[in-house]
Amino acid sequence: MAGFLARRLGAAAIAALLSSLAVFLIMRAVPGDIVGQMLGQSGGDRAAEEALRAFFGLDRPLWSQFADWLGAVLRGDLGRSWYQGRPVGVMVWEAFLVTLELAVATLVLATLIGVPLGVVAGITQGSRLDRAIQSFNLVGLSAPVFWLGLMLLVGASAALDWSPPFAWSGPQEDLADNISILVLPVISLAVLQAAAYSQFVRGLMIEELGKDYIRAGRAKGLTPAELYFKHALSNVMIPLVTFMGLILVQILGGVVVIESLFSLPGLGRLILAGIQGRDYPVVQGALFFVVIIATTINLVVDLLYGLLDPRLKP
Amino acid sequence: MTEFTLPRRTALQLALGSLALPGIAEAQQAQIDPLLYGPTPENARRGGRITVGSLVEPPALDPFRQAADARIRVSPLMYQGLFFEDQSGVPRPLLAESATAAPDGKSWTFRLRRGVKFHTGQPMTSADVKYSYDFMRNAANGSPGAGDLSSVTSIDAPDDFTVVFNLSRPNAALPMTLTNKYGAVVPRGFLDDANSGTRMNEISVGTGPFKLKQFRPNSTLVFERNPDYWQPGLPYLDEITFVTMPNSAAMAVGLQSRRIDLAMFSRPQDTQALANAQGVEVRRWPSLNQKTVDLDCKYNNLGDVRVRQAIALAIDKKTVMDASISGYGTVIGTIVAGMQDAWGVPLDQLANQRVDLDRAKALLAAAGHPNGFDIDLTTIIGYDWMDAAAVTIAEQLRRINIRVNIRKLELGVWIRNFRAREMGFTFNDWGTTPDPSLLYYRHFRAAPEGADFRNWNHARASALLDRGQETADPAARRAIYAEFQKILAEEVPTIMMFSSDVLTANRTRLKNYVQHGTGWYFGLVKAWVEG
């Protein structure tokens, strides 16, 4: 177990280092830098450009810029935003909490809708109910999130004369506002993920129900409830947990669109604004954090396998 | 209720004489100008809060080192320069009380207003004014506004309420340069701290009617009334919250559901959704912005003036405007719509304004391209109007056998190309402070005095721009800029197509909001809300 953990953590460290280097180089390869953004299309002259470039350390060799950044990260310092002046670590953490709340709420809602739908569709394969659920899946999987979000926003306004407050409040500031801000984005994201879940679980159930032990159980006189929920569903759990991890990573990746669509100050928008403004410390810090989170989720999923099925214990 | 108004400023002639220009004695302006920031309302109520929806958010709030338009829009609430850029084209004294140019035009003396306090509580004196503008004009401090002050050689503060700007050559546009786009008057010493730029995201240190209360990036920006503000009784509002809105559909929804009180729309046609909305009024204002096609004279075949003229003769500006902003604007010739009356040349007196395909083809043939050529036309991601305009122009140029390939660039990349004078054949969307020197000089004056982004390098035009900047007499100045505009139209380093109206929508409880043509929020200083 210890050896497994050490190997995985080592691999994670290498992944973080390589991806940070890639982010560092790609950001600098993109034409334009913060100096152009600050001076605008027509302001300032060469002297102003040079002064600002020196202020941000952009006149130094690339290797020395990267070494400085990496050295600071190893000391636990992600630097400061060039625009905001605030510590990147704090900005990333605040944005992450917004994204996490959005992602967890989406995951819970998608699981609550998607898993039962998938189980029912699997059990009643070929029925009218199954076809109805499959239609939902098709629509859910093919409706673009930004379209769905916009329709929900305009629809809620037209039908209920209601719209979310557009200014963000965290759950600790004003819970009612917080929930009303999140309800539409969570539904928009959850529909897609619930459809994906339901489709996946349906396939698993059908496969599981065709297996010999189910036939044997049926012959033994087990009730359908016991067959489906005690035996079939517990075998479906392992791939489902893998899938949940994938979905969580996918939600974290997909929130960029929904955060922009609903003005949520999450990680996706932080990174997007950082890229547009060429705020290198923010982009590097935030993506470094994302890599760590994604690796951690994968690690936790691997460890969970062991808990759910002792045969897979590392 | 929807109401369309096109406010006409009657102040133009009055204003042209109201500033102490050379030869006119200083004296007036001891009192506070009632038209400062817009008309003064009767029976305005003090108090109340409003929420403003905005599609853009400032990356940071430093007025000295951030050129982003989103920053400039809100800065006038907190920070002030010596003058206010009245839409009529006249600088109205703001922190200055009067302006006098020396007879040779090589220095300007400004008397300062007394009783002005910074948000920090300190009183403002000439030492602060000198400090602030010295900081701004020093290129090593990285201010985008430094270039506009290149003619300033030194600033003196002979007493607490007088400053003198000494110039290397006369600059009639100096008062209009000391307005509110870049820089401001801040307490002396504040900018010495290397982190002063980012500190201004937490506190405001200006003299403006509102103070910064809170800035939460990617979310909200809150201003509160400055209780020590120097204009008696102003501002009316206690608090203004700016909320960053994701798109114009959300702004329309926010207005209807009473979440926001005011919003400005970047695409005028997006206000159509509000045509029948209860309690919301949509208003249209002339703007100081322009949508152009710029021609880099070193790119492709654009170095040949006949090619540039052929392109101008093939473009039907009205059709492009209808396609891209549903006609909510004004076709222009060589100046933004908001300055046409004061400074513009009538379009029928300008060359290359009307479509003439036969002449265009003849010019192309004479230039050695009887079968046309291929060219990339650049649009910028996020500027929606350019997409429709690009398709329309590609179609129009196809009629003279110029085959256009549309290429989309991210804004940061586009800015880099523009500044490096490698813009190619591109759309542009830019605004100005209402003075012809500030509009034209940096863009079209040959280097090194100007930036000449389009590599035009035109000697006669440059000489006119120098003379226009140096000439104080309004009539003589107008004649110089008229001549310049005729060259601009003839030579086509740019095709100024149209000014898109500024469209605002507000809840009817918000009163006396007047939108400035720059798109900046000066109007909030005199706006008020019903109880």
Side-chain angles (χ1 to χ4, degrees):
Chain A
M1 182 70 183
F4 167 79
L5 260 184
R7 270 198 313 278
R8 288 300 303 262
L9 289 175
I14 292 172
L17 179 71
L18 289 180
S19 56
S20 297
L21 183 62
V23 169
F24 178 89
L25 292 174
I26 290 170
M27 276 312 286
R28 277 154 182 85
V30 174
D33 59 20
I34 186 171
V35 174
Q37 302 269 327
M38 287 177 73
L39 293 173
Q41 63 159 296
S42 62
D45 53 11
R46 186 118 315 157
E49 281 181 14
E50 279 166 15
L52 286 174
R53 221 156 258 144
F55 180 79
F56 292 114
L58 291 169
D59 54 343
R60 293 186 299 129
L62 283 186
W63 64 264
S64 122
Q65 293 180 41
F66 186 68
D68 279 5
W69 180 79
L70 192 64
V73 169
L74 292 177
R75 291 193 303 276
D77 176 10
L78 289 177
R80 281 174 185 269
S81 157
W82 284 346
Y83 288 102
Q84 305 298 329
R86 300 180 63 218
V88 170
V90 174
M91 290 171 70
V92 168
W93 183 250
E94 286 172 0
F96 173 66
L97 291 181
V98 174
T99 302
L100 186 69
E101 192 189 357
L102 178 64
V104 169
T106 302
L107 189 66
V108 169
L109 186 64
T111 311
L112 288 179
I113 300 172
V115 173
L117 282 184
V119 170
V120 170
I123 294 169
T124 62
Q125 188 195 354
S127 70
R128 210 172 270 177
L129 186 59
D130 178 31
R131 280 203 296 275
I133 293 173
Q134 293 225 62
S135 311
F136 164 80
N137 294 349
L138 187 68
V139 173
L141 285 170
S142 33
V145 172
F146 66 87
W147 176 84
L148 192 60
L150 209 55
M151 287 303 115
L152 284 173
L153 183 68
V154 174
S157 163
L160 310 170
D161 192 21
W162 176 89
S163 76
F166 293 94
W168 172 256
S169 304
Q172 72 288 0
E173 290 170 88
D174 187 331
L175 190 61
D177 266 5
N178 180 255
I179 292 171
S180 33
I181 292 167
L182 282 177
V183 62
L184 295 182
V186 165
I187 293 176
S188 320
L189 278 176
V191 165
L192 166 70
Q193 304 302 350
Y197 254 128
S198 151
Q199 197 69 353
F200 185 73
V201 171
R202 177 181 180 272
L204 289 178
M205 282 302 282
I206 289 170
E207 193 189 328
E208 212 55 38
L209 292 177
K211 285 189 178 162
D212 288 347
Y213 77 93
I214 295 286
R215 222 171 303 151
R218 214 172 257 143
K220 234 172 70 178
L222 292 180
T223 63
E226 280 175 310
L227 268 178
Y228 298 148
F229 298 110
K230 192 168 163 214
H231 296 282
L233 195 58
S234 53
N235 280 320
V236 165
M237 284 309 276
I238 291 174
L240 194 59
V241 169
T242 316
F243 192 69
M244 226 185 221
L246 284 177
I247 287 222
L248 189 58
V249 173
Q250 200 186 336
I251 292 175
L252 286 172
V255 290
V256 179
V257 173
I258 214 76
E259 284 176 2
S260 296
L261 191 62
F262 286 95
S263 284
L264 306 173
L267 211 45
R269 248 176 108 212
L270 183 74
I271 293 170
L272 196 64
I275 292 172
Q276 286 168 345
R278 308 290 193 269
D279 194 342
Y280 297 162
V282 166
V283 178
Q284 283 164 215
L287 286 174
F288 177 77
F289 181 82
V290 169
V291 169
I292 302 289
I293 291 291
T295 342
T296 310
I297 292 176
N298 284 332
L299 187 61
V300 168
V301 167
D302 285 356
L303 292 175
L304 274 181
Y305 286 162
L307 288 180
L308 289 172
D309 184 347
R311 282 173 306 173
L312 294 175
K313 196 168 244 169
Chain B
M1 186 189 78
T2 306
E3 174 200 327
F4 285 92
T5 50
L6 255 172
R8 284 251 160 243
R9 299 285 174 104
T10 51
L12 180 64
Q13 268 117 3
L14 173 115
L16 276 172
S18 77
L19 181 77
L21 290 161
I24 300 174
E26 68 179 271
Q28 71 274 61
Q29 300 298 350
Q31 290 164 338
I32 294 169
D33 182 344
L35 287 176
L36 206 52
Y37 288 135
T40 301
E42 282 172 23
N43 310 324
R45 172 185 165 270
R46 259 172 87 100
R49 301 162 180 219
I50 63 161
T51 303
V52 182
S54 172
L55 291 175
V56 290
E57 182 190 66
L61 297 175
D62 176 359
F64 288 88
R65 283 159 291 202
Q66 293 292 339
D69 191 56
R71 191 282 299 160
I72 306 171
R73 284 183 192 184
V74 296
S75 279
L77 298 174
M78 301 176 281
Y79 293 96
Q80 295 179 314
L82 294 185
F83 293 87
F84 164 61
E85 48 274 71
D86 195 287
Q87 181 131 1
S88 62
V90 168
R92 290 179 183 278
L94 190 63
L95 291 180
E97 267 182 353
S98 69
T100 317
D104 67 354
K106 288 174 94 172
S107 75
W108 278 90
T109 301
F110 303 114
R111 289 244 175 277
L112 301 179
R113 201 173 289 287
R114 286 158 198 261
V116 176
K117 270 192 195 164
F118 291 110
H119 296 171
T120 55
Q122 298 149 265
M124 179 197 78
T125 69
S126 58
D128 304 303
V129 176
K130 172 179 159 54
Y131 172 82
S132 303
Y133 287 107
D134 272 340
F135 181 90
M136 182 170 148
R137 70 191 185 85
N138 180 355
N141 292 324
S143 174
D148 294 335
L149 294 175
S150 59
S151 62
V152 178
T153 52
S154 64
I155 302 173
D156 299 328
D159 65 53
D160 275 0
F161 295 99
T162 308
V163 280
V164 181
F165 281 61
N166 300 304
L167 310 177
S168 57
R169 53 198 162 79
N171 182 356
L174 187 67
M176 191 56 105
T177 312
L178 305 176
T179 48
N180 300 287
K181 186 175 185 181
Y182 300 127
V185 180
V186 298
R188 61 183 172 280
F190 181 81
L191 300 162
D192 295 351
D193 174 3
N195 296 319
S196 58
T198 50
R199 276 183 68 201
M200 286 188 264
N201 295 323
E202 284 151 21
I203 52 162
S204 56
V205 294
T207 54
F210 291 92
K211 296 163 100 160
L212 177 64
K213 187 174 177 190
Q214 190 192 36
F215 179 28
R216 291 176 78 169
N218 288 324
S219 181
T220 50
L221 179 53
V222 187
F223 299 100
E224 60 188 356
R225 174 216 303 278
N226 171 9
D228 297 325
Y229 186 56
W230 55 268
Q231 276 184 281
L234 289 179
Y236 301 115
L237 297 168
D238 285 339
E239 198 170 285
I240 304 170
T241 301
F242 284 83
V243 182
T244 310
M245 305 291 285
N247 48 55
S248 43
M251 293 216 293
V253 166
L255 280 159
Q256 293 183 72
S257 60
R258 294 169 295 278
R259 295 279 189 192
I260 58 176
D261 298 292
L262 173 70
M264 189 161 42
F265 288 79
S266 62
R267 288 197 325 161
Q269 60 268 42
D270 290 340
T271 55
Q272 282 163 0
L274 290 165
N276 299 314
Q278 287 288 311
V280 177
E281 54 183 345
V282 176
R283 292 190 292 167
R284 232 170 130 163
W285 314 84
S287 87
L288 292 166
N289 165 286
Q290 58 181 330
K291 320 284 189 196
T292 69
V293 178
D294 284 337
L295 299 90
D296 173 355
C297 299
K298 282 194 174 156
Y299 174 72
N300 199 292
N301 296 316
L302 302 180
D304 190 324
V305 66
R306 293 167 295 188
V307 172
R308 302 200 299 270
Q309 288 166 338
I311 290 173
L313 288 167
I315 291 180
D316 178 356
K317 297 178 179 180
K318 173 83 167 61
T319 308
V320 179
M321 180 175 85
D322 289 346
S324 53
I325 56 163
S326 304
Y328 285 86
T330 310
V331 168
I332 57 175
T334 46
I335 200 160
V336 297
M339 292 172 71
Q340 176 69 33
D341 289 351
W343 298 100
V345 176
L347 268 61
D348 56 13
Q349 293 173 28
L350 293 168
N352 305 318
Q353 302 299 311
R354 299 184 66 166
V355 175
D356 186 340
L357 296 181
D358 293 336
R359 237 192 97 213
K361 283 180 190 158
L363 281 163
L364 276 187
H369 310 290
N371 301 318
F373 56 89
D374 295 289
I375 193 165
D376 284 352
L377 173 61
T378 305
T379 65
I380 309 170
I381 294 168
Y383 287 72
D384 295 342
W385 70 267
M386 293 181 187
D387 298 329
V391 176
T392 312
I393 286 182
E395 195 55 34
Q396 291 175 350
L397 293 184
R398 203 176 51 79
R399 295 184 295 183
I400 56 168
N401 297 320
I402 295 180
R403 295 166 296 277
V404 169
N405 171 39
I406 300 167
R407 164 177 100 122
K408 273 181 108 106
L409 279 189
E410 186 257 359
L411 181 61
V413 180
W414 184 89
I415 289 177
R416 184 242 158 241
N417 292 349
F418 192 90
R419 296 184 59 86
R421 308 210 297 185
E422 294 166 7
M423 69 173 73
F425 182 45
T426 181
F427 283 105
N428 197 348
D429 190 332
W430 56 297
T432 180
T433 305
D435 181 276
S437 184
L438 291 164
L439 168 62
Y440 297 128
Y441 199 88
R442 267 190 75 70
H443 274 258
F444 298 105
R445 172 67 170 85
E449 288 83 354
D452 193 22
F453 296 106
R454 296 156 191 81
N455 297 301
W456 186 28
N457 198 17
H458 196 278
R460 204 152 58 87
S462 296
L464 283 167
L465 289 175
D466 284 343
R467 269 177 53 213
Q469 195 176 66
E470 290 166 9
T471 304
D473 176 60
R477 235 184 141 212
R478 212 169 300 138
I480 292 167
Y481 284 112
E483 202 184 332
F484 168 79
Q485 289 176 65
K486 285 181 179 165
I487 297 176
L488 198 64
E490 182 64 40
E491 281 270 326
V492 205
T494 183
I495 300 168
M496 298 184 178
M497 297 188 293
F498 53 91
S499 285
S500 146
D501 292 339
V502 187
L503 266 93
T504 59
N506 60 278
R507 303 279 325 161
T508 46
R509 79 180 192 111
L510 180 69
K511 305 290 182 194
N512 198 46
Y513 180 74
V514 175
Q515 179 59 56
H516 196 268
T518 50
W520 309 339
Y521 291 109
F522 294 110
L524 288 173
V525 180
K526 287 185 167 175
W528 59 281
V529 282
E530 284 177 333

